[in-house]
Each structure stands twice: as structure tokens, then as C-alpha cells.
Amino acid sequence: MGSDQGAPATAGEDPSGTVESRERFPHAGELELPEELDGWEDMYPEYFQFELTDDRTDYERDRFWFWDKKDTTEPVMPWDMTISAQAWQIAMAQNTSRVFAIPPSMSVDIRVVAGYAYFTGINVEDEELLQERAQIFAERSEYYYENYDALYNGIWLPAVKEIGNEIDSLDVPAELPEYVPDDVITEAKGQSQSTLDVIRNYNRLTELALEGWQRHFEFLYLAYLAYMQFTETSRELFPDISDDAIGKMVSAVEADVFRPDQELNELAELAVELGDDVIDVLTSDASPDEKMERLRETEAGSEFMDRFDEVKDPWFYMTYGDGFHSYKGSWIEDFKAPFDHLESKIDRLQDGEELGRDFEALQDERDEIVDEYRRYLDPEEREEFDHAYETCMTVYEYAENHQFWIENWLHTIIFRKMREFGQLLVNHGLLEDEADIFLFNRFEVAELLEEACETWALGRGAFVSERWQDRAEERRQMFEAAKEWDPSPALGEPPEEVTDPLMQMLWGITTEKVENWLDIESEAGDETNLEGFGSSSGQVEGPARVINDSSDIDKLEEGEVLVAPLTNPAWAPIFPRAAGAVTDDGGITSHAAIVCREYGLPAVTGTGHATSVIETGDLIRLDGETGEVEILEKAE
């Protein structure tokens, strides 16, 4: 880790006067940030900041905070943060505390440091409250589990699509008119609707974005909790069962998150079927726009493009990042990724390879494992096992589907609409670039739009301040500095033991990992051996390919081991080229774990710092059952 984040500190003096010797991570106020980040606090609302008041400082320093590297591998821009983190803080928290009353988990609290999010779990320890919440949770969760298909397909998915379609339909003028239309006079409207619509539609956009995030969390924890319950049941019945065996029993899931890759497979197969006229264009060095133009000039190419146009909405609404960063862009806005994937898939088909998952083989393997374990149970145990298994399989698809529909499809629409508001501000002289709008939090953007409307109302020649442009330039430089900063993996004193199951499953936070972080921080860690979660069985040796950003995924060569901070649905098309996968973050229900099980690839997730220790070209060995990763030979 970087030297500017502060070395591990020893715990402070406790009320009894004894000094604990156990190391801790720095508190937020002890972090040493680069001077380029001076003033970063102005970009984010106060309620996301550490140590604003004495009582708040006492509360924060009494808790253990971990860097949410799963969602903020890079700093999140102010506007993006005040949508996603606001949603995490309200929607995620209330889902556990007020909606389903998950017995041991009250909620999470969130703080931001220079664009990076830190989480802390708030657990329930009062026994009476635990029992009260357990009863509420049992009743409410059971209803969702029993009616999941009707609720998800009949209500949830149509509601999410309605949110996206309404955002897409919001009218944002490129510029406010020189003069209001005649109907203001003829219909006695009293004033132009133009300025009112700008403010109203921006407010509506933020409302709908936050509503989408309420939907995001609706089934999420229920899906993970169903997996946890099945895991606990399996371990009670089979004490020696491996995590990998449990994972394989819930594989072969038909989830929407795999559809983009499936559609690319079918497009590649169609291209080969249509012949050289299409193949030659798709495998040429031309840009995506040039390829599409040339394809439309021939009959075979037009047939290919008709199919391409048919599937791109919604399946190519895939972000180039994790969905939380507006500047990453999306496939539908830049077709480079899908055309690169098509070229690779055509090459594989011409070499006689099969594309995609052998879904039937996966299902057969899954069913064989389930049947084998069921045979060892008596009727009562088998009933318990079947109930847990069927519940898990009913809702488990949501663990992946929500990523496609919210982080990818919906966020693509949200960010695209926000750039329209940004262009309006550019055309009225308040900003220099449409993307600069994301450098301001959502409350500041409302102020920006109001100033644009007020300036327009004053008439042609009204004074337009340059302060917003100056502030955007300062923040752009600050944001670039934040990308270079290396945050501390955690803040404060860690617990004696990490017991929160959601922290383990979602973020891969375990007692061992926290201790490993402390070793790395104090430079006492082992630089050749890593440990994480054995998330997909198998052993493999191969050269590592370290990829920190999805824009570089096309660099992965056949047979290399993917090493990444984490993966998301946009990475799915490259997994068939990988020999295995290692990630810094995520547990056994992370995207990388699920996809590797689907493709039969060994995987170790949640190593903590693989991308910092392993370099591209290193020869590594990973064991997808034990969770061990070893660097056998360093690259020259």
C-alpha cells in the first residue's frame, strides 16, 4: 500500500488505563492525503464525511470501517456518489433495518474519503430485539420466497423498465429558446414552461434514479440470505462439505446477466454462417462505425446488422466499468467492446471451438452432485435440505440479474440523460464540457441548472459567471489525483473476529483477511502466497494477466489467469479465454465466483491484494478449492 495512507497504529488507551498492543488501522483523521486533494470535502455532502463533530468522531473511531473496493475501486465522481452512495445509505440500510428486519444485521453506515467509500456494519446484539426481528423477517421473507416469480417477473422487472423508459423520455432542451412560443400568449400560460421543465425534469431524474436503487435492493439480501441458509443447512447435514460443492449445486443459472455474451455468441455464429463478406469486415482493422457502414452495403451484411440492431437494446447497455462511474461509458455508446469480442469469437469458431457454456453439461453435473448428497439423508433431513435448496434456486438468479438491470441498463440511461443536462449548461456558458456536470454533486447540479435558467430569464447579454468552469477544472485535477492515491484498506480497530455473514459473502471480509491487511500495511506479509475464498474448484498454473479496468479486458490472452480487483457483467465474454481467475475482493457469491462456476474455471476470490502483489507475466498457481494462490516465478 502507498506510504501516504498512514502506517498501522497501536490501539489507544482504554478506560482501565491499560494499553492494548494489538495493531489497528489509521483513523480517518490520521490519513495523510496528497496535497493535490486539499479541499476534496467540498465535492461531497457533509453527511458522508468523517469526524465533523466531537460526538460523531467518538462514534466513528469506535467502529471498524472497511474500504468498499468492490464498488469504489476508483474514486466516484460527486454526482455519481450522491446517487449510488445515497441509495446505499438509504435503500440498502432500510432494506435490512426497516423492510425485512434481517435479525442480526441492522444496516450499514457509509463515509467517503476523496471519492472512496468506507462501510461499517451495525449489528443487533439485544436478544429481545433479535427475536422480534426474527419473527418479522420470517413472515416477510417467506412471502417473497413463495411468490418470487410473480413478484419479480410480474412487478419488479416491469417497474425497473418503466423507470428507465421514463428517464429516457424526459425532455432536456439543447438550449433554452430565444423567445417563448406563441402559446404562452394564446393560451394564457403566464410564463415559459422551458425553465420549469428543466428543473422539474432534473428533479424527476434524481427521484427515478433513487427509486431504481430502492428496487435494486428489494430482493438482493433475500437472494444472498437464501444462499447462506442453504450453505448452513448443507454444512449442518454434511460437516465436511466444501464451499465449491455448495457452489456447484447452485450453478447453471439462467440469468439475464449472461445474455449479452450469449447474444454475441449468436451474432458470431451468424457471421460465420453468412460468409466471408461479413467475416472480412468484422475482423478488419476498421472502427466500429466503419464496420457497420460497410456491412449495411451488402445483403449479407444488412442481415447481420438487422440482428445486431435487434439485440443491442437492452443487451448492449453494458457499462465499461462497474456501473458506478459515469466516465466509463457503455457499449451502446461505444461499440468497441462488442466488436472486439465478435472478432475474438469468430476466430475461435474458425478454429473449431465451441462458444459459451455447455449449459446442459453444467446442469447434469449440478443435478448429479445434488442427487449424490441427497442419497445420504433420511426422509426428514432430505425434506430440510430440499426446502433450503429449492428456496435458494428460486431467487438466486437475482444475485446477478440486478447488476444488469440497475448498474448497467438503468445507469447507462441515467448517465446519458445527465450528459444532456450537461450539454444544456455548456450551451449556456456555465460549463466547458458536458461531462463536467458529474464533477458536481446532485444538489450543486440543481443550483447550476437554476442559475442557467435565471441567466436566461435576464435576456440576451446577461452576465454568465465563469466560477463553475473554474471549479470544474479544479475538481477535475483533484479527481485525477484521487485516482493515483492508494487508500487504506480499513480504518480503526478491527474486531477480534469478523462474524457478519454478509460482509463475508459480499465483500469477502474475514478475520484472516483483516489480519493479512495489517501484515501488508506493516510490511510483514508474505509476497509469494495469497489466500482467499475457494470459489470454483480446480487447480491451474499459468501466466498472470493483471487487469484493473474493463477497458483493458481484450488484453487477456488464451490460457492466461485473470487477476483483477473484481469483475462485473461486462467482463463475461472474456472468461472462456481465461485459465482461471483471482480477485482482490468478493466472496463466494461475487460475480467472478458465479461466472467461473458457470464456465468451469478455477477461481479464488477475496485475496485482498492480488493485483498489488502479482504482475502480468508472473507464473502463478491457484487452487479453487483451498483458496490458495502461489507465485511460482516472477516475470522478467
Side-chain angles (χ1 to χ4, degrees):
M1 292 294 182
S3 60
D4 55 5
Q5 66 188 21
T10 56
E13 197 169 75
D14 70 12
S16 66
T18 61
V19 178
E20 301 173 17
S21 61
R22 194 158 66 94
E23 290 181 328
R24 65 166 174 81
F25 298 93
H27 293 304
E30 297 169 341
L31 292 171
E32 297 179 12
L33 277 67
E35 62 180 50
E36 294 87 351
L37 289 175
D38 287 349
W40 70 265
E41 296 89 346
D42 294 338
M43 294 193 289
Y44 303 95
E46 285 191 349
Y47 53 76
F48 281 142
Q49 297 177 29
F50 279 102
E51 305 189 1
L52 291 178
T53 61
D54 290 343
D55 59 340
R56 182 159 169 164
T57 298
D58 291 341
Y59 160 78
E60 290 163 348
R61 292 198 170 196
D62 195 41
R63 305 196 66 81
F64 173 67
W65 304 79
F66 65 91
W67 171 20
D68 175 31
K69 199 173 180 181
K70 182 172 72 70
D71 300 313
T72 61
T73 307
E74 295 183 13
V76 180
M77 282 198 169
W79 194 89
D80 308 350
M81 182 68 80
T82 46
I83 290 296
S84 58
Q86 174 84 8
W88 298 338
Q89 186 72 91
I90 295 179
M92 180 166 60
Q94 75 178 25
N95 199 266
T96 56
S97 65
R98 306 289 186 177
V99 178
F100 287 104
I102 296 174
S105 301
M106 184 63 76
S107 58
V108 294
D109 204 353
I110 300 173
R111 298 289 185 272
V112 174
V113 179
Y116 297 93
Y118 284 85
F119 286 11
T120 185
I122 301 176
N123 297 324
V124 179
E125 297 179 357
D126 180 86
E127 188 61 35
E128 185 176 339
L129 182 57
L130 276 171
Q131 293 177 5
E132 174 187 316
R133 292 169 65 82
Q135 182 176 350
I136 296 171
F137 174 75
E139 294 172 355
R140 294 187 172 186
S141 62
E142 194 64 28
Y143 181 84
Y144 264 70
Y145 290 142
E146 291 177 354
N147 297 278
Y148 172 77
D149 185 64
L151 293 170
Y152 176 79
N153 290 300
I155 299 176
W156 188 92
L157 189 54
V160 170
K161 291 180 178 180
E162 185 177 343
I163 290 169
N165 291 335
E166 183 177 347
I167 291 173
D168 208 25
S169 69
L170 293 174
D171 180 52
V172 182
E175 197 168 1
L176 294 171
E178 179 67 18
Y179 298 104
V180 302
D182 288 342
D183 63 3
V184 171
I185 306 300
T186 60
E187 298 181 17
K189 291 184 176 179
Q191 60 178 316
S192 169
Q193 296 296 304
S194 301
T195 54
L196 294 177
D197 285 345
V198 167
I199 303 301
R200 181 186 297 117
N201 287 346
Y202 173 70
N203 289 338
R204 184 60 179 154
L205 167 62
T206 59
E207 289 173 3
L208 289 167
L210 293 173
E211 183 180 340
W213 272 95
Q214 294 280 354
R215 290 290 183 180
H216 173 282
F217 288 107
E218 186 166 359
F219 298 101
L220 186 58
Y221 281 162
L222 295 185
Y224 291 131
L225 288 167
Y227 184 94
M228 286 169 52
Q229 182 59 54
F230 174 61
T231 299
E232 291 175 5
T233 300
S234 298
R235 286 176 177 159
E236 289 173 3
L237 296 171
F238 310 104
D240 295 328
I241 194 171
S242 67
D243 286 339
D244 180 68
I246 296 172
K248 281 187 174 179
M249 284 193 276
V250 296
S251 63
V253 176
E254 284 282 25
D256 288 343
V257 75
F258 296 113
R259 280 291 297 278
D261 189 40
Q262 292 169 358
E263 296 295 347
L264 286 171
N265 289 341
E266 293 182 11
L267 282 168
E269 290 165 354
L270 176 61
V272 172
E273 180 184 326
L274 291 171
D276 290 342
D277 286 348
V278 174
I279 293 173
D280 290 346
V281 174
L282 290 174
T283 57
S284 71
D285 292 332
S287 70
D289 286 341
E290 292 170 336
K291 289 179 180 180
M292 290 188 288
E293 183 178 351
R294 288 170 56 189
L295 285 167
R296 295 187 195 279
E297 292 172 355
T298 65
E299 183 177 349
S302 293
E303 182 178 344
F304 177 87
M305 285 308 302
D306 286 345
R307 176 61 181 161
F308 185 93
D309 291 337
E310 181 182 333
V311 304
K312 69 182 181 183
D313 185 358
W315 305 117
F316 290 175
Y317 278 60
M318 296 288 291
T319 65
Y320 279 96
D322 51 21
F324 300 114
H325 299 82
S326 54
Y327 60 88
K328 294 287 188 180
S330 177
W331 289 9
I332 199 71
E333 299 156 348
D334 177 3
F335 285 124
K336 181 180 184 306
F339 276 95
D340 284 348
H341 293 320
L342 281 170
E343 184 174 353
S344 173
K345 290 175 184 292
I346 288 171
D347 288 342
R348 292 176 57 205
L349 285 171
Q350 291 180 319
D351 288 340
E353 294 184 40
E354 295 287 333
L355 298 182
R357 304 175 292 166
D358 188 342
F359 194 71
E360 289 186 4
L362 282 169
Q363 285 182 321
D364 290 343
E365 181 184 16
R366 177 195 68 193
D367 295 343
E368 184 178 338
I369 294 172
V370 171
D371 289 342
E372 180 181 353
Y373 277 98
R374 289 180 78 252
R375 283 198 295 268
Y376 295 110
L377 302 174
D378 62 37
E380 186 176 341
E381 292 173 331
R382 190 175 299 124
E383 183 178 356
E384 179 186 3
F385 177 87
D386 288 348
H387 177 72
Y389 180 65
E390 290 166 7
T391 300
C392 181
M393 290 302 289
T394 298
V395 301
Y396 193 53
E397 65 172 7
Y398 189 84
E400 288 294 286
N401 280 357
H402 79 280
Q403 288 194 51
F404 176 78
W405 288 109
I406 305 296
E407 281 98 317
N408 288 271
W409 183 78
L410 185 59
H411 270 202
T412 293
I413 296 171
I414 290 170
F415 292 149
R416 183 170 63 195
K417 187 59 62 174
M418 278 300 299
R419 284 190 285 271
E420 292 181 24
F421 281 107
Q423 189 59 52
L424 170 65
L425 293 168
V426 169
N427 293 342
H428 282 273
L430 276 78
L431 296 178
E432 289 186 344
D433 187 278
E434 65 177 24
D436 288 348
I437 195 170
F438 297 107
L439 291 165
F440 300 92
N441 66 54
R442 66 185 179 94
F443 308 105
E444 292 175 314
V445 169
E447 184 179 350
L448 254 167
L449 292 169
E450 287 198 17
E451 184 165 332
C453 293
E454 290 168 1
T455 303
W456 171 82
L458 293 173
R460 186 187 299 186
F463 173 75
V464 179
S465 173
E466 295 181 355
R467 73 185 189 285
W468 293 103
Q469 294 184 18
D470 295 340
R471 197 175 301 169
E473 178 59 29
E474 292 173 1
R475 292 186 174 186
R476 191 180 303 109
Q477 295 178 12
M478 195 177 298
F479 193 76
E480 291 304 313
K483 287 183 180 180
E484 298 300 318
W485 181 55
D486 193 8
S488 174
L491 302 173
E493 185 175 353
E496 292 289 344
E497 184 178 2
V498 177
T499 58
D500 189 323
L502 290 175
M503 286 175 62
Q504 295 175 10
M505 291 184 64
L506 296 180
W507 289 278
I509 308 296
T510 64
T511 306
E512 293 75 19
K513 178 185 281 191
V514 173
E515 291 174 351
N516 187 248
W517 285 342
L518 284 169
D519 287 341
I520 295 297
E521 293 290 280
S522 60
E523 300 182 353
D526 187 341
E527 295 291 317
T528 60
N529 292 280
L530 301 169
E531 292 186 0
F533 293 95
S535 296
S536 183
S537 66
Q539 297 179 342
V540 68
E541 291 183 13
R545 172 67 64 176
V546 181
I547 297 179
N548 288 296
D549 189 275
S550 64
S551 61
D552 295 326
I553 60 177
D554 60 321
K555 295 179 181 178
L556 182 76
E557 300 288 342
E558 193 84 28
E560 291 182 328
V561 178
L562 172 66
V563 180
L566 74 166
T567 68
N568 60 64
W571 297 56
I574 68 163
F575 277 92
R577 301 208 298 267
V582 179
T583 66
D584 291 343
D585 287 272
I588 56 177
T589 59
S590 65
H591 176 265
I594 293 172
V595 175
C596 282
R597 289 195 293 266
E598 296 292 333
Y599 283 103
L601 301 175
V604 176
T605 60
T607 61
H609 56 282
T611 56
S612 300
V613 175
I614 299 172
E615 297 179 294
T616 293
D618 289 354
L619 181 64
I620 66 174
R621 176 193 295 133
L622 68 100
D623 189 320
E625 293 189 15
T626 65
E628 297 173 328
V629 180
E630 182 181 359
I631 301 176
L632 302 174
E633 183 180 330
K634 294 294 292 182
E636 294 183 2

